[in-house]
C-alpha cells in the first residue's frame, strides 16, 4: 500500500491520462465528422454545379442531337431524369453523415463517463487511504508522545530525588562539621 502522496500522484496521473484519452477521442470524432460533412458538402456543390451546367446546356444539345433522331431525344430525357434524381439523395447522404458522426461520438461519450466514474472511485479510495494514514500517524504520534512524557517524568523524578538527597547530605555535612 503506497503513501497518500503516491496514491494522489497515481490518481492525478490517471486523471491526466483519461483526460488526454477523452480529448484525443473527441478530437478524432470531431475530425471524422468534419471530414464527412466536408465531403458531403463538396459532393453536393459539385453535383449542383454539374446539374446547373447540364441544365443550361441541355436545351441546345437536345435540339442539336434530336433533330431527326427520336431515340436520342429519349436518351437525353432519360439522362436529365437521372441527373435530377441524383440531386435528391444529397440530403439523405447528409443525414447519414450526421448519423455516423453521432455514432462516432457515442463511444467517446461513454468512455468519458466511464473514465469519470473510475476517477471518482479512485479519488474516493485515495481520500479514504489518506485519511486512514493521517489517523494512524496521529495515533502513533500520540502514543510516542505519551511514552516520551512518561520517560521524561521518570527522569525528572529521579533527578529531583537525587537533588533532594544531595541537598540533605550537604545540609548534614554543614551541621556536622566543626566551626572555625
Amino acid at each position: 500500500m503506497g503513501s497518500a502522496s503516491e496514491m494522489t500522484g497515481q490518481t492525478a496521473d490517471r486523471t491526466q491520462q483519461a483526460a488526454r484519452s477523452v480529448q484525443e477521442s473527441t478530437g478524432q470524432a470531431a475530425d471524422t465528422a468534419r471530414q464527412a460533412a466536408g465531403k458531403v458538402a463538396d459532393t453536393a456543390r459539385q453535383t449542383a454545379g454539374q446539374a446547373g451546367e447540364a441544365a443550361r446546356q441541355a436545351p441546345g444539345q437536345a435540339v442539336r442531337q434530336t433533330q431527326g433522331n427520336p431515340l436520342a431525344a429519349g436518351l437525353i430525357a432519360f439522362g436529365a431524369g437521372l441527373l435530377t434524381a441524383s440531386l435528391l439523395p444529397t440530403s439523405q447522404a447528409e443525414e447519414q453523415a450526421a448519423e455516423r458522426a453521432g455514432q462516432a461520438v457515442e463511444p467517446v461519450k461513454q468512455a468519458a463517463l466511464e473514465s469519470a466514474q473510475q476517477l471518482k472511485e479512485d479519488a474516493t479510495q485515495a481520500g479514504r487511504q489518506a485519511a486512514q494514514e493521517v489517523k494512524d500517524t496521529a495515533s502513533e504520534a500520540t502514543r510516542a508522545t505519551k511514552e516520551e512524557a512518561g520517560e521524561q517524568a521518570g527522569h525528572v523524578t529521579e533527578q529531583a530525588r537525587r537533588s533532594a538527597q544531595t541537598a540533605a547530605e550537604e545540609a548534614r555535612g554543614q551541621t556536622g562539621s566543626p566551626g572555625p
Side-chain angles (χ1 to χ4, degrees), residues 29-30 32-34 36 94-110:
T32 301
R34 272 190 237 108
E94 289 173 344
E95 290 175 15
Q96 289 173 350
E99 185 178 328
R100 277 188 243 129
Q103 290 171 351
V105 170
E106 187 60 33
V108 173
K109 178 181 169 185
Q110 190 63 30

Side-chain angles (χ1 to χ4, degrees), residues 2-173:
S3 68
S5 63
E6 288 174 345
M7 290 298 294
T8 302
Q10 290 173 354
T11 301
D13 289 345
R14 287 183 187 156
T15 301
Q16 290 173 351
Q17 289 173 350
R20 281 193 296 272
S21 175
V22 168
Q23 287 174 341
E24 289 172 3
S25 297
T26 303
Q28 290 171 353
D31 288 345
T32 301
R34 272 190 237 108
Q35 288 172 355
K39 287 179 182 178
V40 167
D42 288 345
T43 302
R45 278 192 291 271
Q46 288 175 352
T47 304
Q50 290 170 354
E53 186 63 30
R56 279 190 293 276
Q57 294 175 358
Q61 285 180 348
V63 169
R64 280 190 302 266
Q65 291 178 354
T66 60
Q67 288 178 346
N69 192 350
L71 185 59
L75 287 174
I76 290 173
F78 180 73
L82 284 178
L83 182 61
T84 304
S86 70
L87 294 176
L88 297 177
T90 302
S91 63
Q92 185 179 11
E94 289 173 344
E95 290 175 15
Q96 289 173 350
E99 185 178 328
R100 277 188 243 129
Q103 290 171 351
V105 170
E106 187 60 33
V108 173
K109 178 181 169 185
Q110 190 63 30
L113 290 173
E114 289 171 6
S115 293
Q117 182 64 31
Q118 184 64 37
L119 290 174
K120 177 184 171 188
E121 291 171 8
D122 288 349
T124 301
Q125 182 180 1
R128 286 183 185 142
Q129 288 178 346
Q132 185 61 42
E133 287 181 24
V134 168
K135 181 180 174 184
D136 292 347
T137 302
S139 296
E140 180 62 26
T142 301
R143 186 193 58 75
T145 302
K146 283 182 181 178
E147 287 178 7
E148 185 65 28
E151 288 177 16
Q152 292 300 324
H155 291 299
V156 169
T157 302
E158 182 61 30
Q159 285 179 343
R161 188 186 61 74
R162 285 186 196 151
S163 293
Q165 190 176 22
T166 303
E169 288 174 3
E170 287 179 7
R172 278 189 228 128

